[in-house]
Amino acid sequence: MFVSKVVQLNKLVPFLSKVRYFATPADGVKLFTKSHEWFLPANNVTQGKVGVTKHAEQQIGDMVFVEPPTVGDEVAMNTAVGVVESVKAASDLLSPISGNVLAANQEVVSNPSLINSDPEGDGWIYEMTVKDKTEFESLLTAAEYQKL
């Protein structure tokens, strides 16, 4: 009897090793997408700022134009909500989660190079509400993002 329980547990170990444990996000702790956007939760994880990662900024190059989503727009996770354009190319900005747009960073609109100088700080692009906290499960922690 004891041996069969050990065998059963051993069969579970490979499965358990593949489970991704996800902690509830916290204010001030960035989460990332595989498409190189970041989300910085705030206000008890009910809203947050969105921008592009340093990696994305380096790949895109010198920013010349930013079109954030319109304030009041409802945005869906993984859909194009805006555009960032460099001297090399234009890229869609994807929403990391679903929610409503609260604000657009007008500093970035008037000075797109702010994304180049501080992509994960003052170079944020828009602020939004959080519609569905379960969507955070598909975002990456900083450690997971570094492995991409």
Side-chain angles (χ1 to χ4, degrees):
M1 185 84 150
F2 179 77
V3 174
S4 65
K5 287 184 180 181
V6 172
V7 170
Q8 287 174 345
L9 289 175
N10 285 339
K11 288 179 182 177
L12 288 177
V13 172
F15 169 75
L16 291 175
S17 66
K18 294 178 184 176
V19 172
R20 178 175 177 240
Y21 294 96
F22 182 77
T24 303
D27 286 357
V29 179
K30 278 193 183 106
L31 297 170
F32 300 86
T33 66
K34 291 180 181 178
S35 58
H36 308 291
E37 288 86 15
W38 55 263
F39 180 80
L40 181 62
N43 199 20
N44 291 318
V45 194
T46 60
Q47 65 189 57
K49 291 181 178 175
V50 177
V52 297
T53 64
K54 183 174 179 122
H55 174 79
E57 172 273 321
Q58 291 170 340
Q59 296 300 308
I60 296 168
D62 294 334
M63 299 289 175
V64 295
F65 177 75
V66 176
E67 180 183 323
T70 304
V71 173
D73 279 359
E74 185 171 338
V75 297
M77 181 180 195
N78 294 325
T79 60
V81 297
V83 175
V84 290
E85 188 174 323
S86 72
V87 294
K88 291 196 247 182
S91 299
D92 285 335
L93 177 66
L94 303 181
S95 184
I97 59 169
S98 301
N100 290 311
V101 178
L102 296 173
N105 186 350
Q106 294 304 313
E107 297 272 335
V108 166
V109 172
S110 60
N111 181 13
S113 66
L114 195 56
I115 292 176
N116 296 107
S117 61
D118 194 10
E120 294 188 31
D122 290 338
W124 62 275
I125 299 172
Y126 67 100
E127 193 168 1
M128 67 181 294
T129 62
V130 175
K131 182 177 181 179
D132 182 358
K133 290 183 181 181
T134 63
E135 291 180 342
F136 286 123
E137 293 175 16
S138 65
L139 300 180
L140 306 171
T141 65
E144 291 168 327
Y145 181 73
Q146 293 291 333
K147 293 178 183 178
L148 290 181

